[in-house]
Amino acid sequence: RKEVEQDPGPFNVPEGATVAFNCTYSNSASQSFFWYRQDCRKEPKLLMSVYSSGNEDGRFTAQLNRASQYISLLIRDSKLSDSATYLCVVTPGGGGADGLTFGKGTHLIIQP
Amino acid sequence: EAGVTQSPTHLIKTRGQQATLRCSPISGHTSVYWYQQALGLGLQFLLWYDEGEERNRGNFPPRFSGRQFPNYSSELNVNALELEDSALYLCASRLTYKGYFGPGTRLTVL
């Protein structure tokens, strides 16, 4: 099983819709979780951290399910500008391995 | 506060040559990560430096190497370049758990 797995998509979603995607991780000792956004041919940018209690930032909601070892990202009222690749990042406990383990990303396309 | 910087922005080399890529982390960040992202593919972990030491390396051949300097900046060297080394090379710096990326160096091997 890969350390961090994401559905690559693409997810084609009409503008204004709500879309959600998950990311599963294999290391139960993982400590910190993040969502990054990467636009075409650009560097990934930190979108939001994911906290155990779940957290919201405007139209974006992130949740962590430790029992099932996945994190999720929900985007409400999607905009054309939300089109991007969304990468989940997991940091293993104790700072081991590479310290920042990336999923391959989920490609989201918001259609007018 | 200045972000992570990388140089050069673009680099064109021919097969067999050597390439040197540079990264300056955010001030105060001691960890630097290098990733390779080939066109259409995900981020592949290359190297992790912290406090001047190599902490871990990904599944890449030894011709990929690097170092971290006392000021925490870092250099990635790729020897004996091959066509498949053409990719975007991203550097990220980290202090606690959050990583911040530089804009990358796009390496093209002809």
Side-chain angles (χ1 to χ4, degrees), chain A residues 31-32 34 36 38 41-46 49 51 87 91-92 94-104, chain B residues 10 33 35 37 39 41-45 48 55-56 88 90 92-94 97-104 106:
Chain A
Q31 294 287 341
S32 302
F34 305 94
Y36 281 71
Q38 185 174 25
R41 299 175 72 83
K42 298 280 192 179
E43 75 274 22
K45 291 190 187 297
L46 180 63
S49 303
Y51 301 121
L87 303 160
T91 62
D98 62 58
L100 285 174
T101 305
F102 281 82
K104 298 290 187 190
Chain B
H10 293 88
Y33 297 79
Y35 292 87
Q37 189 173 37
L39 192 62
L41 298 180
L43 290 160
Q44 303 293 319
F45 167 66
W48 171 26
R55 299 299 183 185
N56 202 9
L88 178 67
L90 291 160
S93 77
R94 182 173 76 117
Y97 289 109
K98 296 178 183 177
Y100 297 89
F101 282 86
R106 190 162 297 281

Side-chain angles (χ1 to χ4, degrees), chain B residues 4 9 11 35 41 73 78 80:
Chain B
V4 178
T9 305
L11 190 57
Y35 292 87
L41 298 180
S73 67
V78 188

Side-chain angles (χ1 to χ4, degrees), chain A residues 36-63:
Chain A
Y36 281 71
R37 171 200 168 118
Q38 185 174 25
D39 294 294
C40 188
R41 299 175 72 83
K42 298 280 192 179
E43 75 274 22
K45 291 190 187 297
L46 180 63
L47 181 65
M48 59 196 301
S49 303
V50 186
Y51 301 121
S52 297
S53 55
N55 50 297
E56 205 171 288
D57 183 1
R59 298 181 293 107
F60 297 82
T61 300
Q63 291 195 308

Side-chain angles (χ1 to χ4, degrees), chain A residues 5-82:
Chain A
E5 289 198 73
Q6 295 183 251
D7 182 341
F11 284 49
N12 289 282
V13 175
E15 191 177 7
T18 295
V19 59
F21 29 83
N22 293 339
C23 165
T24 58
Y25 60 95
S26 61
N27 185 350
S28 59
S30 296
Q31 294 287 341
S32 302
F33 308 87
F34 305 94
W35 283 104
Y36 281 71
R37 171 200 168 118
Q38 185 174 25
D39 294 294
C40 188
R41 299 175 72 83
K42 298 280 192 179
E43 75 274 22
K45 291 190 187 297
L46 180 63
L47 181 65
M48 59 196 301
S49 303
V50 186
Y51 301 121
S52 297
S53 55
N55 50 297
E56 205 171 288
D57 183 1
R59 298 181 293 107
F60 297 82
T61 300
Q63 291 195 308
L64 166 64
N65 185 317
R66 282 197 184 272
S68 300
Q69 294 183 208
Y70 73 87
I71 63 173
S72 64
L73 179 67
L74 183 143
I75 306 174
R76 287 182 300 279
D77 187 25
S78 54
K79 313 289 184 193
L80 295 176
S81 57
D82 294 334

